[in-house]
Amino acid sequence: MADLTAWLPWEDPDAFLGGLPKGFDVDFYAGGKRPVSLAEVEFYVPSYMGGGDVFDVIREMPALKVVQLQTAGFEHAQSRIAAGVTLCNARGVHDASTAELAVALILASYRRLPRAVRNQEVEVWPQSYDEVDESLADRTVLILGYGAIGAALERRLSGFECEVIRVARRARDGVHPTSALPELLPRADVVVVLTPATPETERMVDAKFLARMKDGALLVNVARGVVVDTDALLAELGTQRISAALDVTDPEPLPAGHPLWSAPNVLINPHRGGASTAFAPRVARLVRAQLERYASGEPLINVVAGPPR
């Protein structure tokens, strides 16, 4: 049996993956000039931070069977995948990084670290503080989109002496359905958004949603920018009734001059949720396991579209 052809976005995939599974011929592709094996490639891992060409090339791969993403979100790739191609996401790879960032955004907002950074830049030590910082202890955190990342976030919150409310699309043991949000939102001091971007979740956090949040509540979005209605959020931030910490925005990247930059009570992080040292070893384990499964004929994991393999 001839070796299978895979395209991987690492120049030294053997070192990155900790050894390549047997049965593969591997070419490097992260955008730009395409390898000569374009017509033979069956298993393709697009570059994590690649441009549109790393997805446009998919339409030119006649032998393609599997696309393995390095992201949990897959809406950006699904429309480019032919009906017979299996699309797999990177569920589990970003759990640690994204959960850590969510905690960091909460703590930075509550302890007003942006103010401390601004004071440091101008070498100012305040003589007194006009108000006491908030603490995460004794607060209620609502996790909207409770899945693998939500569970990872809850584990990290467990030492902060706070209550966690779990919400997902459907009810299950210990998890409320999204239909219960009108009753749950007024209880939450912090709302962390972790939902995927789908037609159902687009602008889910709208004016009505925000109006139900309690006075002084913090909205943390580490999901996708389109889940939050930006105009509605700006209106609420303008009243200074609530605050926000955003790893993602709509539009994105956020252009210079956009009113979100100067809105009161908002902390903006430029979509760095998955970008930490925790990413590489976890994506390497996933890709190596998927290659081994594909070569041996075992079912792939994390299939989000197309036929199971």
Side-chain angles (χ1 to χ4, degrees), residues 245-259:
L246 310 173
D247 182 52
V248 289
T249 60
D250 182 26
E252 188 175 307
L254 196 62
H258 193 282

Side-chain angles (χ1 to χ4, degrees), residues 101-124:
L101 179 64
V103 174
L105 291 173
I106 295 169
L107 294 176
S109 299
Y110 268 7
R111 303 311 299 262
R112 292 185 285 188
L113 295 186
R115 181 181 66 175
V117 172
R118 290 192 295 270
N119 286 340
Q120 180 177 348
E121 288 175 345
V122 295
E123 301 179 5
V124 170

